Amino acid sequence: MAWPARRYFDGLIRDLGDFLRDVRVTRLEIGSERALIDVEGMWGEHRIILSEIHRPDGSSRYAYYILDSENRLVAGFDNSSDVQAIKMQYDTDWRQHLHEEIPHRHDGQKNMRLTDKIDASRFLAWLQTNFPSKTVQ
């Protein structure tokens, strides 16, 4: 697990450094049961937070957030086992799926919608399209 995760994380940090400014890794842990990374950076006036957990079976958990200058959520993508997302996905059968990871998007008005699973590169492409930076990166 350590070598693929390390290579992936090194590439992610390099790519983020090309895309965001003031990139800093706030947590990086690689072990036999999981590998995780938390990274922050700036996109224009927005604070960007990326968090990923990779498991030996190839599955992953992610959270990608855009915050405004007062650290309020503007938009976010994650695949947590959020009860609201589970109810949206499974309707009346939601209790049978309580711990499933459901890809979804939040916005600053506390709205949520289901999405396809994304990764950091898709998030950054979405960010670039939906939040054009007003300053040079």
Side-chain angles (χ1 to χ4, degrees):
M1 173 91 161
W3 287 107
R6 172 57 74 180
R7 271 194 307 275
Y8 170 75
F9 288 159
D10 287 347
L12 177 62
I13 294 164
R14 190 174 43 255
D15 292 347
L16 290 173
D18 291 341
F19 195 85
L20 304 173
R21 68 174 203 281
D22 303 329
V23 173
R24 65 186 181 93
V25 177
T26 58
R27 185 165 66 159
L28 177 64
E29 298 174 14
I30 300 175
S32 61
E33 296 300 314
R34 69 176 186 179
L36 64 90
I37 188 168
D38 294 329
V39 184
E40 296 185 16
M42 295 297 294
W43 175 253
E45 298 302 314
H46 292 93
R47 181 174 164 218
I48 307 301
I49 300 173
L50 293 94
S51 180
E52 294 183 355
I53 300 172
H54 297 264
R55 302 177 191 107
D57 67 2
S59 65
S60 64
R61 186 167 179 184
Y62 61 86
Y64 309 121
Y65 295 109
I66 306 165
L67 305 176
D68 68 14
S69 60
E70 296 180 17
N71 284 324
R72 292 180 299 218
L73 178 70
V74 175
F77 293 84
D78 67 68
N79 67 340
S80 68
S81 56
D82 186 295
V83 171
Q84 184 180 354
I86 293 169
K87 286 180 178 180
M88 291 172 77
Q89 177 77 30
Y90 293 107
D91 197 29
T92 58
D93 192 33
W94 67 273
R95 284 183 181 85
Q96 305 301 315
H97 303 275
L98 268 179
H99 300 289
E100 286 186 28
E101 295 172 345
I102 307 293
H104 57 279
R105 178 180 152 205
H106 302 268
D107 67 22
Q109 290 74 46
K110 300 188 182 195
N111 297 312
M112 178 188 291
R113 71 179 191 85
L114 300 180
T115 64
D116 292 331
K117 185 175 180 178
I118 68 168
D119 59 16
S121 62
R122 283 188 60 200
F123 169 71
L124 293 173
W126 183 90
L127 176 67
Q128 193 169 24
T129 300
N130 292 279
F131 288 89
S133 177
K134 294 181 179 77
T135 61
V136 175
Q137 297 300 318

